[in-house]
């Protein structure tokens, strides 16, 4: 299990994401498949529980809402750029 500092960091990140309403906050990872990343498995779940909307970008340049990992949704507008 994660320590208190992990949960404090997630709380702080969630608060920052909510404070940036209308803006995009990005967490980057070098994993090709977002489902293999600890950001998806742990941080994504914990942020989702706090009401943060999470969009993953996949290897084929599609994006999808967390936690929908079995079926990709149509591409969303990220960073103000439409597909």
């Amino acid at each position: 299990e994660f320590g208190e500092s992990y949960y404090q960091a997630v709380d702080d990140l969630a608060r920052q994401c909510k404070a940036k309403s209308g803006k995009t906050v990005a967490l980057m990872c070098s994993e090709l498949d977002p489902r293999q990343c600890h950001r998806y498995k742990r941080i994504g779940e914990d942020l989702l529980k706090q009401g943060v909307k999470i969009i993953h970008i996949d290897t084929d340049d599609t994006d999808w809402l967390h936690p929908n990992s079995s079926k990709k949704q149509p591409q969303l507008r990220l960073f103000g750029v439409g597909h």
Side-chain angles (χ1 to χ4, degrees):
E1 195 59 34
F2 292 91
E4 184 63 31
S5 61
Y6 166 80
Y7 293 104
Q8 183 61 49
V10 170
D11 288 345
D12 291 345
L13 181 57
R15 197 169 25 263
Q16 290 176 25
C17 289
K18 291 175 185 177
K20 303 248 183 239
S21 180
K23 306 236 187 225
T24 301
V25 176
L27 295 177
M28 305 301 287
C29 180
S30 62
E31 291 287 346
L32 291 176
D33 183 346
R35 291 162 288 254
Q36 301 302 314
C37 176
H38 69 284
R39 287 171 184 83
Y40 175 88
K41 294 177 181 177
R42 185 59 195 218
I43 298 171
E45 290 295 317
D46 289 337
L47 288 173
L48 190 68
K49 289 176 188 173
Q50 294 197 34
V52 176
K53 179 181 175 182
I54 299 170
I55 302 170
H56 295 281
I57 304 171
D58 216 330
T59 58
D60 61 1
D61 214 20
T62 58
D63 43 56
W64 39 274
L65 291 171
H66 186 89
N68 186 2
S69 60
S70 61
K71 181 178 179 184
K72 295 179 191 170
Q73 297 178 358
Q75 290 192 353
L76 305 169
R77 291 178 56 94
L78 296 177
F79 308 108
V81 178
H83 295 284

